[in-house]
Amino acid sequence: LIQLVRLDGKPEAGALVRDVTFRGLDFRHGDATMGTSGYAESQAAMLAPSAFEATGAEGVAIDHCVFTQCGGYAVWFGRGCQRNRVTASEIFDMGAGGVKIGETTQRANEAERSVENEVVDNELHDLGLIYPSAIGMWIGQSSRNTVAHNEIRDLFYTAISVGWTWGYAPNLCDDNRIEYNHLHDIGKAMLSDMGAIYTLGMQPHTTIRNNLIHDVYAFTYGGWGIYPDEGSSGIVIENNIVYRTKSAPFHQHYGRENVVRNNI
């Protein structure tokens, strides 16, 4: 099997999968396949499958679980997923990355948007073994999520990525909290244009605070601790400690109205 669990609600009709808890389970040995055109990488390895995929889920909890030896991502809370949690779990030895929240698509219907999810107190390591551009923790067109108290290490691209709109175009990513995470041994000099925490687009009220980041190494261009990329705006970046990076601890590509204060 490529996909081990699928929650298939219909948020556009108000038919949700609600209040299900997965606790103390091991999810192992999910497969991976390659298309007829061969291997084609994309940013964040968005085309990679997920072992656990949810659509239209609310109040679902993944707690004290293990995801390992699967060919793609571990968990994807996609269209219409609201107020779900991944807590106290371990994700390692994965073909792609850890947890994805939201989509690349901007949904006009609020019921189909992914909001207010939490990824807290998890350990993610040894990722990107098939898809090197995979992300430890990815947030797309999604708002009011919390990523906190996680350790993410030993992967070839970005540990935490927030946003999926390049430049100043409208998007649905705002008010996300990235805090108290320990991110280290990122990049490993394989890929370029990357950082431990990476953002895209206008994100009013998003906060990046109290994170410990170190040992971030790109192949050539990049290798930053905190990297607000194209159009990143309205973000508060404070009280972070960053050291041992290839380029700089902080790098702003272009953006506006960000507050960067009290970082070391």
Side-chain angles (χ1 to χ4, degrees):
L1 293 175
I2 294 175
Q3 192 169 83
L4 305 180
V5 174
R6 180 175 177 84
L7 308 183
D8 200 8
K10 296 177 173 56
E12 69 281 5
L16 303 178
V17 179
R18 285 192 171 96
D19 302 324
V20 182
T21 297
F22 297 82
R23 178 170 291 129
L25 300 176
D26 280 16
F27 300 91
R28 296 176 183 260
H29 303 151
D31 209 343
T33 61
M34 184 180 296
T36 56
S37 60
Y39 181 83
E41 191 70 276
S42 62
Q43 181 165 328
M46 294 306 300
L47 300 179
S50 300
F52 185 114
E53 181 175 333
T55 299
E58 182 178 43
V60 170
I62 299 173
D63 179 61
H64 284 85
C65 290
V66 172
F67 290 83
T68 184
Q69 297 169 334
C70 294
Y73 275 88
V75 178
W76 182 17
F77 283 112
R79 182 172 64 91
C81 287
Q82 303 183 5
R83 289 172 288 282
N84 304 291
R85 306 183 78 230
V86 181
T87 55
S89 295
E90 185 178 10
I91 299 170
F92 68 100
D93 196 12
M94 298 291 292
V99 180
K100 295 192 296 182
I101 293 177
E103 304 177 275
T104 60
T105 302
Q106 298 186 38
R107 300 286 179 180
N109 181 1
E110 288 191 14
E112 295 183 82
R113 299 176 184 174
S114 176
V115 298
E116 297 177 10
N117 301 284
E118 296 184 3
V119 182
V120 177
D121 203 23
N122 303 284
E123 185 178 0
L124 294 78
H125 60 94
D126 296 286
L127 309 175
L129 302 182
I130 297 174
Y131 302 89
S133 69
I135 304 292
M137 175 65 231
W138 181 87
I139 298 174
Q141 300 289 353
S142 181
S143 299
R144 303 190 301 281
N145 302 288
T146 299
V147 179
H149 295 281
N150 303 286
E151 181 182 5
I152 305 176
R153 60 178 172 83
D154 292 297
L155 68 162
F156 302 108
Y157 196 49
T158 292
I160 300 174
S161 178
V162 184
W164 200 254
T165 297
W166 281 256
Y168 298 124
N171 69 81
L172 297 177
C173 182
D174 63 74
D175 198 13
N176 292 297
R177 294 192 301 157
I178 313 299
E179 58 189 21
Y180 296 101
N181 299 286
H182 184 192
L183 314 174
H184 61 99
D185 294 284
I186 309 298
K188 295 180 175 289
M190 178 182 283
L191 301 177
S192 300
D193 196 16
M194 49 74 63
I197 299 177
Y198 174 90
T199 65
L200 278 170
M202 297 186 293
Q203 302 187 34
H205 311 297
T206 287
T207 55
I208 299 172
R209 61 166 60 106
N210 296 309
N211 298 284
L212 174 61
I213 299 168
H214 58 93
D215 295 284
V216 183
Y217 296 104
F219 175 59
T220 55
Y221 172 73
W224 296 296
I226 300 172
Y227 179 14
D229 199 5
E230 300 187 34
S232 293
S233 302
I235 303 171
V236 174
I237 301 169
E238 62 183 4
N239 304 335
N240 301 284
I241 296 177
V242 187
Y243 62 94
R244 285 204 301 262
T245 62
K246 180 181 186 296
S247 297
F250 172 82
H251 173 74
Q252 172 85 57
H253 184 178
Y254 66 86
R256 63 193 184 206
E257 298 168 357
N258 296 308
V259 176
V260 183
R261 63 190 174 202
N262 198 40
N263 300 283
I264 299 173

